[in-house]
């Protein structure tokens, strides 16, 4: 148990994760000059522990070791202990996860446990979770601590030499693509082939357990051929049926521990749900299938209800645990469900969600679609409409009951990059599904970020308790630029275009690798660390380089400013070698390359504001993937290329281009439809 009387140096932090450890007996420091100077002064190695508030195994290690007085005594005596929230300092997490993969030859995870030489901050040991007592084939944590302290004391010369080698290896990353050719159609075909080879044709998704959504890859398939599109359909259908989807409250968990999408790791992260919301909305527009629209609507409503702050920003995450148990908030007992529902409701609900099968999660039932509703209707002797109404009333009863449980912890910090992903997803869903409340939600979040997190031309990464902190990273700039361009398609404001262009200028000035191309994760004036990463690969989120490059391509097409197109081209050339080596791991960059090679239609509508609405609707009906900007006739301050596209004298005009090839202006809806008919 935590000793609430004792408080360490984390007590003044705003991160919910750091505050979870503020009463540990461990003498934790946040990352910063005080901790680093104390480590150098005392010549003690740094024990760096990186995690996040919704992480189940982070909680386990905290309970077993960091709340234990005997373990804390060893940590305090032998190390300077630093606790980092990976969501506040993704730069540190990215660097030390990379080192962990280099040293261990396997993937990392959280909690990440790293031992650093205090004099150069280079790791000489990395690991993840360690148990208090030896088990799972792992040594006891205290045993590891003693070995690390002894190694530091006895191998100073080796540490310095090995550290130099490691720094050189880190510095070399990102330089390989200098002077490469641009990605081409053959590379895109290789990416589709790699995804097909790794595809699960039964359940959807890629690989086996654990199974993640990989949203950038799914977006790539959205614009693929017939086989690729069917891969996307199978995956979205499998996820919507599975327990990774919250069938009562909406929204998706982070990943599934099994290949069937049935049992999730129960944490719900904002950064997954923004892209998934967009994908389901786009699938609804492409196919007309109301099932995709229903998932998108329920997910968006969950975000507005439970993830949007009164100030407007979107919160970060919900924990996997409640009352000390993973998934307790979400799972059910069969007798409890029977007692809450009518006989008819239970007959439908139990068959549809698998309560008539054996328990699937530690003696309880976690809901997943076990039998399609059409089959349930036949089995219970009800019409499809009656069955749907019974299911809806049963879900409402159980959701009301679930809301009375002890909730999982909510991480209520606002992260700029994650908000960018959700603003984009909510904007697209609102536009394609005709939901003004979704667009209003996105507008409130967008204005919140602009108002509170962009201070004197400096974007901040995290907002919590009235404080915007930490210089923003590549992902913050890239995802918000991408979101701003989507917002302009919903509601044109020249001021928003100006802000998007300013973000793009900051990307070029502070983040671009002028020598090799592409964008670093940290700005040029960021704190000096052992590496300045330039990440190409998608991880839990789409690659910031991929999103930035595509956004710059779109901004160049909209404004005619070729500086943005030139930077995008340099980035694609630099990324080519990494993309060719692992095509299936670079979905965001593949999406950017696809737009470079085959630009979607760019539709500029000019006319009186109200008159433009049916034109925008017709353009999206003809081509859901078109980039459509409805610019009122009285809009001023436009860039020269946009200002030259003037309204018609007797009504709206539509200017349609693909890349640098433009059709004559369309003066009627029929002409616009004809131009877009080949979409």
């Amino acid at each position: 148990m935590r000793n609430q009387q004792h408080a360490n140096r984390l007590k003044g932090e705003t991160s919910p994760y750091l505050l979870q450890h503020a009463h540990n007996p461990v003498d934790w420091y946040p990352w910063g000059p005080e901790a680093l100077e104390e480590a150098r002064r005392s010549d003690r190695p740094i024990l760096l522990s990186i995690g996040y508030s919704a992480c189940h195994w982070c909680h386990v290690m905290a309970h077993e070791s960091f709340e234990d007085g005997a373990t804390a005594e060893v940590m305090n005596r032998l190390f300077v202990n630093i606790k980092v929230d990976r969501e506040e300092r993704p730069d540190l997490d990215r660097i030390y996860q990379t080192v962990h993969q280099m040293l261990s030859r396997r993937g990392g995870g959280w909690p990440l446990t790293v031992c650093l030489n205090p004099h150069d901050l280079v790791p000489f040991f990395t690991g993840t979770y360690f148990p208090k007592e030896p088990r799972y084939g792992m040594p006891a944590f205290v045993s590891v601590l003693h070995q690390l302290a002894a190694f530091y004391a006895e191998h100073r010369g080796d540490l310095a030499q090995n550290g130099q080698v490691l720094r050189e290896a880190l510095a070399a990353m990102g330089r390989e693509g200098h002077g490469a050719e641009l990605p081409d159609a053959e590379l895109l075909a290789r990416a589709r082939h790699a995804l097909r080879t790794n595809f699960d044709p039964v359940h959807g998704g890629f690989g086996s357990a654990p199974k993640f959504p990989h949203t950038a890859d799914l977006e790539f398939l959205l614009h693929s051929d017939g086989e690729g599109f069917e891969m996307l359909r199978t995956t979205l259908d499998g996820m919507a049926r599975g327990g990774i989807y919250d069938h009562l409250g909406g929204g998706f968990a982070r990943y599934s521990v099994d290949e069937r999408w049935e049992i999730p790791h129960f944490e719900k992260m904002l950064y997954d749900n923004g892209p998934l919301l967009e994908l389901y909305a786009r699938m609804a527009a492409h196919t007309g299938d109301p099932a995709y629209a229903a998932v998108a609507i329920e997910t968006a409503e969950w975000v507005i209800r439970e993830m949007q702050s009164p100030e407007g920003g979107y919160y970060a995450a919900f924990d996997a645990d409640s009352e000390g148990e993973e998934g307790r908030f979400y799972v059910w007992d069969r007798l409890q469900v029977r007692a809450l529902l009518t006989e008819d409701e239970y007959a439908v609900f139990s068959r549809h969600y698998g309560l008539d099968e054996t328990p699937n999660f530690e003696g309880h039932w976690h809901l997943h679609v076990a039998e399609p509703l059409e089959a349930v209707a036949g089995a219970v002797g009800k019409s499809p409409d009656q069955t749907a109404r019974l299911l809806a009333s049963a879900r409402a009863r159980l959701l009301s009951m679930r809301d009375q449980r002890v909730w999982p912890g909510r991480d209520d910090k606002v992260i700029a990059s994650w908000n960018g992903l959700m603003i984009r997803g909510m904007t697209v869903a609102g536009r394609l599904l005709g939901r003004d409340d979704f667009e209003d939600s996105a507008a409130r979040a967008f204005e919140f970020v602009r108002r509170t997190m962009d201070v004197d031309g400096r974007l901040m990464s995290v907002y919590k308790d009235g404080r915007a902190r930490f210089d923003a990273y590549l992902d913050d700039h890239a995802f918000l630029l991408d979101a701003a361009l989507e917002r302009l398609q919903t509601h044109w404001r020249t001021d928003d275009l100006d802000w998007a262009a300013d973000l793009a200028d900051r990307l070029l000035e502070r983040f671009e690798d002028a020598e090799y191309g592409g964008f670093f994760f940290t700005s040029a004036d960021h704190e000096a660390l052992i590496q300045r990463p330039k990440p190409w690969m998608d991880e839990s989120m789409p690659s910031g380089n991929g999103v930035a490059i595509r956004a710059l391509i779109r901004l160049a097409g909209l404004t005619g400013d070729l500086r943005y197109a030139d930077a995008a081209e340099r980035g694609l050339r630099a990324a080519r070698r990494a993309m060719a080596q692992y095509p299936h791991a670079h979905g965001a960059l593949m999406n950017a390359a696809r737009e470079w090679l085959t630009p979607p239609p760019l539709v500029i509508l000019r006319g009186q504001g109200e008159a433009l609405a049916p034109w925008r609707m017709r353009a999206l009906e003809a081509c859901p993937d078109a980039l459509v900007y409805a610019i009122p006739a009285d809009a001023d301050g436009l860039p020269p290329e946009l200002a030259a596209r003037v309204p018609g004298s007797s009504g709206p005009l539509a200017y349609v281009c693909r890349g640098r090839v433009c059709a004559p202006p369309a003066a009627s809806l029929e002409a616009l439809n004809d131009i877009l008919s080949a979409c």
Side-chain angles (χ1 to χ4, degrees):
M1 295 293 292
R2 301 174 191 168
N3 179 0
Q4 296 297 326
Q5 300 302 313
H6 172 82
N8 56 46
R9 290 172 177 83
L10 302 181
K11 65 182 183 298
E13 295 297 307
T14 55
S15 159
Y17 177 65
L18 298 188
L19 291 174
Q20 288 171 2
H21 296 81
H23 297 280
N24 291 166
V26 178
D27 188 14
W28 290 116
Y29 288 80
W31 181 278
E34 182 184 4
L36 304 183
E37 290 169 8
E38 172 59 20
R40 288 189 288 265
R41 185 199 64 78
S42 64
D43 195 27
R44 284 181 290 163
I46 293 170
L47 188 74
L48 176 64
S49 178
I50 302 178
Y52 59 102
S53 68
C55 167
H56 171 69
W57 286 104
C58 299
H59 299 328
V60 173
M61 191 166 179
H63 176 68
E64 291 179 345
S65 296
F66 303 149
E67 296 174 6
D68 176 65
T71 304
E73 188 280 327
V74 176
M75 294 174 66
N76 295 338
R77 174 163 45 86
L78 299 179
F79 300 90
V80 170
N81 303 287
I82 299 179
K83 177 62 76 172
V84 164
D85 182 342
R86 68 171 288 258
E87 296 165 359
E88 286 187 339
R89 294 300 304 262
D91 53 337
L92 295 171
D93 182 58
R94 182 177 295 275
I95 290 169
Y96 292 117
Q97 293 282 359
T98 299
V99 174
H100 174 73
Q101 293 172 28
M102 293 171 66
L103 296 180
S104 68
R105 305 294 182 184
R106 61 177 181 270
W110 302 277
L112 183 66
T113 305
V114 188
C115 202
L116 309 180
N117 182 336
H119 302 290
D120 60 11
L121 305 183
V122 176
F124 59 91
F125 173 84
T126 64
T128 52
Y129 162 80
F130 289 97
K132 184 179 179 182
E133 305 295 339
R135 65 177 182 273
Y136 312 129
M138 293 184 287
F141 184 49
V142 168
S143 174
V144 173
L145 295 176
H146 283 296
Q147 293 178 48
L148 291 175
F151 185 87
Y152 178 73
E154 297 167 8
H155 295 83
R156 297 302 182 88
D158 293 338
L159 289 178
Q161 183 177 356
N162 294 340
Q164 181 61 28
V165 172
L166 189 56
R167 291 174 76 104
E168 291 173 358
L170 290 170
M173 291 182 173
R175 298 177 182 170
E176 300 87 352
H178 183 52
E181 296 296 318
L182 281 164
D184 54 17
E186 188 272 336
L187 183 56
L188 299 186
R190 286 178 55 196
R192 285 190 290 271
H193 175 75
L195 291 173
R196 184 167 60 248
T197 300
N198 201 34
F199 180 66
D200 178 348
V202 177
H203 307 289
F206 306 100
S208 56
K211 190 173 279 185
F212 292 80
H214 296 296
T215 54
D217 289 337
L218 297 179
E219 183 182 354
F220 180 64
L221 294 177
L222 179 67
H223 305 283
S224 187
D225 55 17
E227 183 182 14
F229 192 81
E230 286 307 309
M231 289 162 61
L232 172 64
R233 186 195 298 270
T234 300
T235 301
L236 294 185
D237 289 350
M239 291 178 63
R241 290 193 301 267
I244 192 174
Y245 182 65
D246 182 351
H247 291 274
L248 297 184
F252 290 85
R254 181 166 169 252
Y255 67 89
S256 172
V257 302
D258 61 86
E259 64 182 9
R260 302 179 305 280
W261 304 109
E262 184 172 332
I263 303 299
H265 190 45
F266 287 89
E267 64 204 59
K268 295 170 80 171
M269 316 298 292
L270 187 72
Y271 63 70
D272 292 311
N273 282 282
L276 286 170
L277 168 58
E278 176 178 348
L279 280 166
Y280 279 93
R282 289 199 182 278
M283 278 295 282
H286 275 274
T287 66
D289 188 336
Y292 296 120
V295 172
I297 289 168
E298 290 171 3
T299 298
E301 289 176 342
W302 164 71
V303 171
I304 295 171
R305 184 175 68 246
E306 298 176 11
M307 296 292 281
Q308 189 157 27
S309 74
E311 296 173 282
Y314 295 118
Y315 297 136
F318 270 103
D319 205 328
D321 298 4
S322 57
E323 299 184 81
E325 296 180 18
E326 183 180 9
R328 179 164 182 164
F329 181 74
Y330 298 98
V331 299
W332 293 92
D333 178 86
R334 180 189 286 164
L335 294 179
Q336 181 186 31
V337 174
R338 187 185 293 274
L340 290 168
L341 303 181
T342 68
E343 184 176 343
D344 285 346
E345 287 172 339
Y346 182 79
V348 169
F349 189 92
S350 62
R351 293 184 70 99
H352 187 54
Y353 288 128
L355 267 68
D356 57 345
E357 301 174 348
T358 57
N360 59 357
F361 184 76
E362 298 178 0
H364 299 278
W365 282 264
H366 178 59
L367 304 182
H368 69 287
V369 175
E371 189 174 350
L373 202 57
E374 297 81 3
V376 173
V380 300
K382 305 285 186 183
S383 71
D385 286 345
Q386 288 176 310
T387 306
R389 286 194 295 270
L390 287 168
L391 182 67
S393 62
R395 292 173 62 204
R397 288 178 192 268
L398 291 185
L399 179 61
S400 177
M401 175 61 188
R402 195 179 77 176
D403 285 346
Q404 299 174 40
R405 295 175 174 176
V406 176
W407 280 64
R410 181 171 61 192
D411 188 324
D412 59 353
K413 64 178 179 288
V414 175
I415 301 173
S417 58
W418 300 14
N419 270 251
L421 292 172
M422 183 52 72
I423 291 166
R424 175 188 167 94
M426 194 72 76
T427 299
V428 171
R431 185 167 67 239
L432 296 182
L433 300 176
R435 290 290 296 258
D436 291 343
D437 53 338
F438 298 171
E439 295 183 1
D440 291 345
S441 170
R444 288 195 294 126
F446 185 68
E447 289 305 315
F448 172 83
V449 172
R450 286 194 58 181
R451 183 178 68 252
T452 63
M453 301 181 72
D454 193 15
V455 182
D456 298 326
R458 192 106 193 162
L459 187 64
M460 297 288 109
S461 181
V462 177
Y463 175 91
K464 176 76 165 62
D465 296 338
R467 297 168 62 189
R469 305 180 64 196
F470 305 104
D471 285 347
Y473 307 98
L474 167 63
D475 290 0
D476 300 305
H477 290 79
F479 296 172
L480 285 170
L481 170 59
D482 195 37
L485 293 173
E486 284 295 340
R487 294 290 310 144
L488 285 167
Q489 293 190 68
T490 293
H491 178 66
W492 182 270
R493 293 196 317 181
T494 306
D495 180 58
D496 290 346
L497 175 63
D498 293 341
W499 190 69
D502 186 46
L503 278 182
D505 291 343
R506 294 184 226 176
L507 271 174
L508 270 57
E509 177 185 351
R510 298 177 184 171
F511 292 85
E512 190 181 14
D513 183 341
E515 183 176 5
Y516 293 102
F519 298 92
F520 292 108
F521 189 71
T522 54
S523 63
D525 55 355
H526 191 78
E527 172 190 357
L529 300 170
I530 64 170
Q531 185 197 27
R532 193 179 177 201
K534 188 168 61 174
W536 302 122
M537 194 176 297
D538 301 323
E539 296 178 350
S540 54
M541 294 188 294
S543 158
N545 263 287
V547 174
I549 290 169
R550 184 180 66 178
L552 290 171
I553 294 169
R554 292 185 173 187
L555 185 61
L558 179 62
T559 65
D561 191 332
L562 296 182
R563 293 180 305 128
Y564 305 134
D566 291 343
E569 180 178 349
R570 290 191 295 270
L572 287 172
R573 290 184 187 276
R576 162 92 190 224
R577 190 166 299 173
M579 296 167 70
Q581 188 173 9
Y582 298 108
H584 59 290
H586 295 86
L589 279 163
M590 293 294 175
N591 288 322
R594 178 188 55 78
E595 288 212 8
W596 180 270
L597 295 168
T598 311
L602 171 65
V603 182
I604 305 297
L605 305 175
R606 296 301 312 274
Q608 298 301 321
E610 293 183 1
L612 294 178
W615 286 67
R616 186 178 75 168
M617 185 176 298
R618 177 65 62 88
L620 290 174
E621 287 173 352
C623 185
D625 294 323
L627 308 176
V628 183
Y629 299 91
I631 306 177
D634 58 358
D636 55 12
L638 297 174
E641 182 133 334
L642 281 180
R645 294 169 178 173
V646 297
S649 58
S650 59
L653 282 180
Y655 300 82
V656 182
C657 299
R658 277 185 178 269
R660 303 194 181 197
V661 178
C662 298
S668 69
L669 289 173
E670 292 73 17
L672 174 61
N673 196 70
D674 289 343
I675 293 172
L676 292 173
S677 61
C679 178

